[in-house]
Amino acid sequence: MSRILLTFCLLIGCAVGARAGVVALHTPHTSLVLSAPKGGALQWLYYGSQLTAIDLSGITALGGTVAYPVFGLGTSSAEAALAVTHSDGNYTTDLLVADAAQMVQEAHSTLARIPLRDPVYDLCVDYCVRAYTDCDVVEVWTEIWHNESSAVTLRRYCSAVLPVRRGAVWVSHLHGSWAAEAQMTQQPLQDGVLEIRNKDGVRNGMQDRAEVMFSLDGTPEENSGRTIAAALCYSGNYQLRIVTNWSDYHRLFAGIMAEDAPYTLPSGERFVTPKLAVAYSDEGCSGASRALHTWGRQHQLAHGTALRDVLLNSWEGVYMDINEQAMETMMRDLADLGGELFVMDDGWFGRKYPRTNSQGLGDWQVDTHKLPHGIAGLTQTAARYGVKFGLWIEPEMACLRSALCEAHPEWVLRAPRREVTTGRGSTQVVLDMANPEVQDYVFSIVDTLLTTYPDIAYIKWDANMEMQDYGSGYLADTLQGHTAIAYHKGLERVWQRVRSKYPDVVLQACGSGGGRINLGVLPYFDECWVSDNTDALQRIYTQWGTSYFYPAVAMASHISASPNHQTGRVIPMKYRIDVAMSGRLGIEMQPRQMTAAERALCAEAIADYKRIRPTVQQGNLYRLISPYAHQGVASLMYVGGDKAEAVAFWWQLDTFCGQHLPRLRMAGLNPDRHYRVTELHRRAAQPLAVEGKCYSGRMLMESGIEVPAGHNGEQAWASTVLLLTAVD
Ligand code: GLA
């Protein structure tokens, strides 16, 4: 700590003293250094492990690269982070450092604001970097404004450019589709451009994800090697371009998708780009994940350091077939199993047009034919069974067959003077969140529910449609290019209002499954629904990818029926439970359909989960054996902050005769302490040979233990959850 303070003081000195213009920011283990000489170009000098004062004194000798390249002068062919058409039509921009960086000490971070100015035009950019003092993450973004005589047009407006020195660099990134989100791609970076982008308009996490991880020392390793993770915190369309050309660097250009979205910026208005969160670790991909997770829990997620309840969500149990009796039965069964929160999903609303797949969305009044005693009746029932109550809504959307659309056809998002394209059920439409009246209406849905029924503890906020038509009836004809950005600004305003009036309610971000997974929505939400695919085998892959950037506390992971409703796969309850327990545990099935043995197992596992919940939801993640490595097994573990407790998950992925499975070699333990191994909710007739025995952390990490093929399995589907408790 004293070293950090000393370095910080030296650096403040640097900013104003002999090495004027060097701006260095530090997290507990990393440093980011920029050169910002007044009247010169802003340069990115260094990002990596924390530097000493002596390192810093020689840092400029190592050279750097332009931190925020702009379009049009000198190298007009080069990739630009910012491109502007000035008020007189000039297409070029120049940005020089206008003044010394302003350093602001915040509660858990230091913010450097470096003012950049165009020497000819009255255009300004604040280049902002926030470095946390309690986790190894820096945030980088820009704020753009001008005082030109009339509006300027932003043609390109990245948040940041992250340079990664060429070498044996690999990149890991996530792609997917509905029910197959967050599939991992890992590839070496080569010359050319690798682009990861999203133009869904409404939810940006279903297909390509807005995060990347660079492994600087060759093939990505989970627990060794220098690694940089970068995550764009934004809920709308985005573009990540990794450009490798003539320079010595791979450069990640990250920001809002500017294609088809030129932004007209009036004089005096500030355009704030979303932040790019960046983490460095010399402990491999898992190390970079841990840095992001810690930052996520402490600074980005709503209630990130609180434990989450074990819930039952009604969707796969009854779909839209909601009725009072069914809800009560599920609540009772949940309580019997030891669960804590019941969530009623889609199907509970609509009077003139009772909810079906093709009608009623937008009319958030209880369907009293299904629920004669309304929400109040349900919250009372929940209280009777000692569980909390939550509710599904999809407030940014409506069906054309709804009282809402009959009353307010102008609230539907549509290209002016054109028919609207519909989605789900051939009637679903998106509401025009650019319109302040729609923002008020969407806020009022949540406000009315939470005010009328203060016992609602949880809301699942869904979004089941992309922006099919680009255009807003609210925006002027000349500003149609703002449609996607204005939608998200409007949405964010609503989320801010909800959070400031209802700070305690737990909110889940859902978008047809994992469509709303982005760190930009997490200041408002507590967790994300990872995927509509609840098949335990496929979830291992989806959750593995998701865990690269999201902590377990934010990953909703539910036990579902067998055969699984999405894949038809038959998987025993033990395995389904053991996969779901590695995230925020829930149930997504009709408990009535469980056999007596399954119910007993489920109840035992929920009790176990409550015991290990602090370690799973708040501990440090070490991914051990990747499902993508084709070793027949996947494994990961969580280690508590003080390393006194750890929980290891081991899932066999396939079953072949004569298979040689790897040993379970652990990570993150204290090598000098001894840990007792206890298997949780075992169903195998024979305990593991290591059951109840103690081993040093060193031995568990270097040599590991054997988990025999087929352990706990029913022919196939072997899995185990091991609790490690420090004994000295
Ligand atoms: C989406 C969600 C599901 C469920 C349905 C309800 O698909 O991802 O979990 O809530 O909508 O219509």
mmCIF file of all heavy atoms in Angstrom, residues 178 313 315 320 345-346 355 392 424 460 462 464 510-513 529 532 588, ligand 1:
data_model
loop_
_atom_site.group_PDB
_atom_site.id
_atom_site.type_symbol
_atom_site.label_atom_id
_atom_site.label_comp_id
_atom_site.label_asym_id
_atom_site.label_seq_id
_atom_site.Cartn_x
_atom_site.Cartn_y
_atom_site.Cartn_z
ATOM 1 N N TRP A 178 -29.608 -17.434 -30.405
ATOM 2 C CA TRP A 178 -30.586 -17.775 -29.380
ATOM 3 C C TRP A 178 -30.361 -19.239 -28.938
ATOM 4 O O TRP A 178 -30.186 -20.114 -29.772
ATOM 5 C CB TRP A 178 -32.012 -17.591 -29.914
ATOM 6 C CG TRP A 178 -33.016 -18.004 -28.878
ATOM 7 C CD1 TRP A 178 -33.428 -17.283 -27.812
ATOM 8 C CD2 TRP A 178 -33.688 -19.274 -28.810
ATOM 9 N NE1 TRP A 178 -34.307 -18.022 -27.052
ATOM 10 C CE2 TRP A 178 -34.490 -19.244 -27.646
ATOM 11 C CE3 TRP A 178 -33.676 -20.421 -29.598
ATOM 12 C CZ2 TRP A 178 -35.287 -20.320 -27.277
ATOM 13 C CZ3 TRP A 178 -34.472 -21.497 -29.219
ATOM 14 C CH2 TRP A 178 -35.276 -21.427 -28.063
ATOM 15 N N ASN A 313 -38.414 -20.093 -11.076
ATOM 16 C CA ASN A 313 -39.066 -19.273 -12.100
ATOM 17 C C ASN A 313 -40.099 -20.139 -12.819
ATOM 18 O O ASN A 313 -39.809 -21.282 -13.173
ATOM 19 C CB ASN A 313 -38.000 -18.751 -13.080
ATOM 20 C CG ASN A 313 -38.585 -17.768 -14.070
ATOM 21 O OD1 ASN A 313 -39.128 -16.746 -13.677
ATOM 22 N ND2 ASN A 313 -38.487 -18.077 -15.346
ATOM 23 N N TRP A 315 -41.458 -20.180 -15.803
ATOM 24 C CA TRP A 315 -41.590 -20.282 -17.262
ATOM 25 C C TRP A 315 -41.627 -21.719 -17.766
ATOM 26 O O TRP A 315 -42.618 -22.176 -18.316
ATOM 27 C CB TRP A 315 -40.480 -19.461 -17.943
ATOM 28 C CG TRP A 315 -40.542 -19.488 -19.437
ATOM 29 C CD1 TRP A 315 -39.602 -19.968 -20.290
ATOM 30 C CD2 TRP A 315 -41.622 -19.016 -20.271
ATOM 31 N NE1 TRP A 315 -40.008 -19.824 -21.593
ATOM 32 C CE2 TRP A 315 -41.246 -19.251 -21.607
ATOM 33 C CE3 TRP A 315 -42.862 -18.425 -20.027
ATOM 34 C CZ2 TRP A 315 -42.055 -18.910 -22.697
ATOM 35 C CZ3 TRP A 315 -43.677 -18.093 -21.104
ATOM 36 C CH2 TRP A 315 -43.281 -18.331 -22.408
ATOM 37 N N MET A 320 -47.179 -20.038 -20.389
ATOM 38 C CA MET A 320 -48.142 -18.956 -20.123
ATOM 39 C C MET A 320 -49.402 -19.460 -19.423
ATOM 40 O O MET A 320 -50.361 -18.723 -19.241
ATOM 41 C CB MET A 320 -48.518 -18.254 -21.433
ATOM 42 C CG MET A 320 -47.385 -17.402 -21.989
ATOM 43 S SD MET A 320 -47.916 -16.400 -23.361
ATOM 44 C CE MET A 320 -46.357 -15.978 -24.121
ATOM 45 N N ASP A 345 -43.526 -15.840 -14.287
ATOM 46 C CA ASP A 345 -43.054 -15.387 -15.598
ATOM 47 C C ASP A 345 -44.234 -14.924 -16.462
ATOM 48 O O ASP A 345 -45.337 -14.655 -15.963
ATOM 49 C CB ASP A 345 -42.237 -16.528 -16.251
ATOM 50 C CG ASP A 345 -41.178 -16.035 -17.218
ATOM 51 O OD1 ASP A 345 -41.540 -15.577 -18.315
ATOM 52 O OD2 ASP A 345 -39.974 -16.105 -16.882
ATOM 53 N N ASP A 346 -44.010 -14.847 -17.736
ATOM 54 C CA ASP A 346 -44.951 -14.350 -18.741
ATOM 55 C C ASP A 346 -46.324 -15.039 -18.634
ATOM 56 O O ASP A 346 -46.391 -16.228 -18.335
ATOM 57 C CB ASP A 346 -44.333 -14.649 -20.116
ATOM 58 C CG ASP A 346 -44.975 -13.870 -21.237
ATOM 59 O OD1 ASP A 346 -45.986 -13.193 -20.989
ATOM 60 O OD2 ASP A 346 -44.444 -13.942 -22.361
ATOM 61 N N ARG A 355 -53.221 -12.194 -22.367
ATOM 62 C CA ARG A 355 -51.918 -12.496 -22.942
ATOM 63 C C ARG A 355 -51.870 -13.862 -23.622
ATOM 64 O O ARG A 355 -52.208 -14.896 -23.013
ATOM 65 C CB ARG A 355 -50.866 -12.449 -21.829
ATOM 66 C CG ARG A 355 -49.481 -12.948 -22.211
ATOM 67 C CD ARG A 355 -48.823 -12.093 -23.253
ATOM 68 N NE ARG A 355 -47.397 -12.385 -23.360
ATOM 69 C CZ ARG A 355 -46.698 -12.177 -24.462
ATOM 70 N NH1 ARG A 355 -47.280 -11.682 -25.562
ATOM 71 N NH2 ARG A 355 -45.401 -12.427 -24.475
ATOM 72 N N TRP A 392 -42.363 -11.167 -13.907
ATOM 73 C CA TRP A 392 -41.786 -10.935 -15.248
ATOM 74 C C TRP A 392 -42.493 -9.763 -15.909
ATOM 75 O O TRP A 392 -43.725 -9.671 -15.872
ATOM 76 C CB TRP A 392 -42.002 -12.192 -16.080
ATOM 77 C CG TRP A 392 -41.537 -12.143 -17.513
ATOM 78 C CD1 TRP A 392 -40.352 -12.586 -17.991
ATOM 79 C CD2 TRP A 392 -42.282 -11.686 -18.660
ATOM 80 N NE1 TRP A 392 -40.292 -12.422 -19.366
ATOM 81 C CE2 TRP A 392 -41.466 -11.870 -19.798
ATOM 82 C CE3 TRP A 392 -43.551 -11.124 -18.844
ATOM 83 C CZ2 TRP A 392 -41.868 -11.526 -21.093
ATOM 84 C CZ3 TRP A 392 -43.946 -10.770 -20.130
ATOM 85 C CH2 TRP A 392 -43.110 -10.974 -21.237
ATOM 86 N N ARG A 424 -42.346 -11.476 -32.575
ATOM 87 C CA ARG A 424 -42.973 -12.652 -31.945
ATOM 88 C C ARG A 424 -44.492 -12.645 -32.146
ATOM 89 O O ARG A 424 -45.143 -11.613 -31.964
ATOM 90 C CB ARG A 424 -42.639 -12.613 -30.460
ATOM 91 C CG ARG A 424 -43.004 -13.836 -29.673
ATOM 92 C CD ARG A 424 -42.644 -13.625 -28.201
ATOM 93 N NE ARG A 424 -42.762 -14.849 -27.439
ATOM 94 C CZ ARG A 424 -42.529 -14.935 -26.136
ATOM 95 N NH1 ARG A 424 -42.131 -13.871 -25.452
ATOM 96 N NH2 ARG A 424 -42.659 -16.077 -25.500
ATOM 97 N N LYS A 460 -38.071 -9.581 -13.316
ATOM 98 C CA LYS A 460 -37.336 -10.079 -14.485
ATOM 99 C C LYS A 460 -37.737 -9.191 -15.652
ATOM 100 O O LYS A 460 -38.891 -9.208 -16.067
ATOM 101 C CB LYS A 460 -37.722 -11.549 -14.731
ATOM 102 C CG LYS A 460 -37.148 -12.156 -16.007
ATOM 103 C CD LYS A 460 -37.505 -13.646 -16.085
ATOM 104 C CE LYS A 460 -37.051 -14.268 -17.400
ATOM 105 N NZ LYS A 460 -37.382 -15.702 -17.486
ATOM 106 N N ASP A 462 -37.557 -8.370 -19.394
ATOM 107 C CA ASP A 462 -37.238 -9.099 -20.619
ATOM 108 C C ASP A 462 -37.277 -8.170 -21.835
ATOM 109 O O ASP A 462 -37.834 -7.054 -21.771
ATOM 110 C CB ASP A 462 -38.267 -10.232 -20.793
ATOM 111 C CG ASP A 462 -37.704 -11.436 -21.525
ATOM 112 O OD1 ASP A 462 -36.671 -11.293 -22.196
ATOM 113 O OD2 ASP A 462 -38.309 -12.516 -21.428
ATOM 114 N N ASN A 464 -37.772 -9.258 -25.908
ATOM 115 C CA ASN A 464 -37.791 -10.403 -26.818
ATOM 116 C C ASN A 464 -37.808 -10.033 -28.288
ATOM 117 O O ASN A 464 -38.259 -10.815 -29.118
ATOM 118 C CB ASN A 464 -39.011 -11.284 -26.498
ATOM 119 C CG ASN A 464 -38.746 -12.167 -25.294
ATOM 120 O OD1 ASN A 464 -37.692 -12.773 -25.185
ATOM 121 N ND2 ASN A 464 -39.691 -12.221 -24.376
ATOM 122 N N CYS A 510 -32.952 -9.762 -18.922
ATOM 123 C CA CYS A 510 -33.178 -10.924 -19.774
ATOM 124 C C CYS A 510 -33.446 -10.392 -21.176
ATOM 125 O O CYS A 510 -34.059 -9.339 -21.331
ATOM 126 C CB CYS A 510 -34.375 -11.709 -19.236
ATOM 127 S SG CYS A 510 -34.835 -13.128 -20.234
ATOM 128 N N GLY A 511 -32.993 -11.078 -22.185
ATOM 129 C CA GLY A 511 -33.302 -10.661 -23.557
ATOM 130 C C GLY A 511 -33.422 -11.897 -24.419
ATOM 131 O O GLY A 511 -32.438 -12.288 -25.039
ATOM 132 N N SER A 512 -34.594 -12.542 -24.404
ATOM 133 C CA SER A 512 -34.754 -13.843 -25.074
ATOM 134 C C SER A 512 -33.625 -14.764 -24.640
ATOM 135 O O SER A 512 -32.919 -15.337 -25.467
ATOM 136 C CB SER A 512 -34.721 -13.693 -26.590
ATOM 137 O OG SER A 512 -35.717 -12.837 -27.034
ATOM 138 N N GLY A 513 -33.398 -14.859 -23.374
ATOM 139 C CA GLY A 513 -32.231 -15.590 -22.866
ATOM 140 C C GLY A 513 -31.122 -14.606 -22.578
ATOM 141 O O GLY A 513 -31.329 -13.572 -21.942
ATOM 142 N N TRP A 529 -30.118 -13.368 -17.117
ATOM 143 C CA TRP A 529 -30.522 -14.715 -17.502
ATOM 144 C C TRP A 529 -29.550 -15.142 -18.590
ATOM 145 O O TRP A 529 -29.412 -14.462 -19.609
ATOM 146 C CB TRP A 529 -31.966 -14.696 -17.982
ATOM 147 C CG TRP A 529 -32.563 -16.005 -18.390
ATOM 148 C CD1 TRP A 529 -33.345 -16.216 -19.492
ATOM 149 C CD2 TRP A 529 -32.493 -17.271 -17.711
ATOM 150 N NE1 TRP A 529 -33.762 -17.525 -19.547
ATOM 151 C CE2 TRP A 529 -33.238 -18.204 -18.462
ATOM 152 C CE3 TRP A 529 -31.858 -17.709 -16.550
ATOM 153 C CZ2 TRP A 529 -33.373 -19.544 -18.091
ATOM 154 C CZ3 TRP A 529 -31.978 -19.053 -16.177
ATOM 155 C CH2 TRP A 529 -32.731 -19.944 -16.943
ATOM 156 N N ASP A 532 -31.870 -19.061 -22.736
ATOM 157 C CA ASP A 532 -33.113 -19.836 -22.701
ATOM 158 C C ASP A 532 -32.820 -21.325 -22.830
ATOM 159 O O ASP A 532 -33.720 -22.148 -22.666
ATOM 160 C CB ASP A 532 -34.047 -19.405 -23.840
ATOM 161 C CG ASP A 532 -34.919 -18.229 -23.427
ATOM 162 O OD1 ASP A 532 -34.908 -17.865 -22.238
ATOM 163 O OD2 ASP A 532 -35.618 -17.669 -24.303
ATOM 164 N N GLU A 588 -36.032 -24.091 -12.861
ATOM 165 C CA GLU A 588 -36.823 -23.671 -14.025
ATOM 166 C C GLU A 588 -37.640 -24.870 -14.487
ATOM 167 O O GLU A 588 -37.525 -25.325 -15.612
ATOM 168 C CB GLU A 588 -35.859 -23.188 -15.126
ATOM 169 C CG GLU A 588 -36.496 -22.535 -16.337
ATOM 170 C CD GLU A 588 -36.874 -21.091 -16.127
ATOM 171 O OE1 GLU A 588 -36.274 -20.423 -15.262
ATOM 172 O OE2 GLU A 588 -37.777 -20.627 -16.847
HETATM 173 C C1 GLA B 1 -37.987 -15.004 -23.036
HETATM 174 C C2 GLA B 1 -37.211 -15.340 -21.781
HETATM 175 C C3 GLA B 1 -37.800 -16.546 -21.125
HETATM 176 C C4 GLA B 1 -39.244 -16.291 -20.796
HETATM 177 C C5 GLA B 1 -40.005 -15.889 -22.054
HETATM 178 C C6 GLA B 1 -41.400 -15.416 -21.730
HETATM 179 O O1 GLA B 1 -37.797 -15.969 -24.009
HETATM 180 O O2 GLA B 1 -35.854 -15.529 -22.091
HETATM 181 O O3 GLA B 1 -37.089 -16.869 -19.958
HETATM 182 O O4 GLA B 1 -39.334 -15.287 -19.827
HETATM 183 O O5 GLA B 1 -39.352 -14.828 -22.745
HETATM 184 O O6 GLA B 1 -42.121 -15.056 -22.828
#
